[in-house]
């Protein structure tokens, strides 16, 4: 293999490595986004001293925060 062919192969490998590293960073960022949103949801929904609940279309309690569960002396789980 000629030196020029080796140089081109090495260059291509470097380009692909950079591309893969960029894709890995994007993947890590996209995987972290749900965790950030979940923590934000927990702070907004579970921590307030006000009871919040979500209801199904039939009017059944679908979800309740910690305060709502405490108000009716029920476990959330």
């Amino acid at each position: 293999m000629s030196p020029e062919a080796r140089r081109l192969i090495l260059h291509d490998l470097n380009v692909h490595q950079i591309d893969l590293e960029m894709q890995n960073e994007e993947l890590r960022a996209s995987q972290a986004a749900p965790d950030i949103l979940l923590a934000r949801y927990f702070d907004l929904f579970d921590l307030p001293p006000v009871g919040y609940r979500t209801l199904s279309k039939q009017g059944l309690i679908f979800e309740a925060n910690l305060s709502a569960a405490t108000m009716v002396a029920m476990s959330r789980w």
Side-chain angles (χ1 to χ4, degrees):
M1 185 179 292
S2 72
E4 180 62 20
R6 288 182 188 170
R7 188 187 69 72
L8 289 174
I9 289 173
L10 184 58
H11 177 267
D12 286 347
L13 288 173
N14 286 332
V15 168
H16 290 298
Q17 180 181 359
I18 292 168
D19 186 45
L20 287 173
E21 288 171 1
M22 290 172 56
Q23 289 177 14
N24 281 337
E25 285 300 315
E26 289 176 14
L27 180 59
R28 283 187 200 101
S30 69
Q31 289 173 335
D35 293 337
I36 292 168
L37 291 175
L38 183 60
R40 188 182 205 180
Y41 171 81
F42 176 80
D43 290 346
L44 292 172
F45 187 79
D46 273 342
L47 298 181
V50 178
Y52 290 116
R53 76 237 183 283
T54 56
L55 302 175
S56 69
K57 289 181 181 181
Q58 295 78 23
L60 301 173
I61 296 175
F62 181 69
E63 185 177 36
N65 70 351
L66 295 172
S67 294
T70 302
M71 288 176 190
V72 294
M74 297 283 298
S75 169
R76 287 180 23 163
W77 312 110

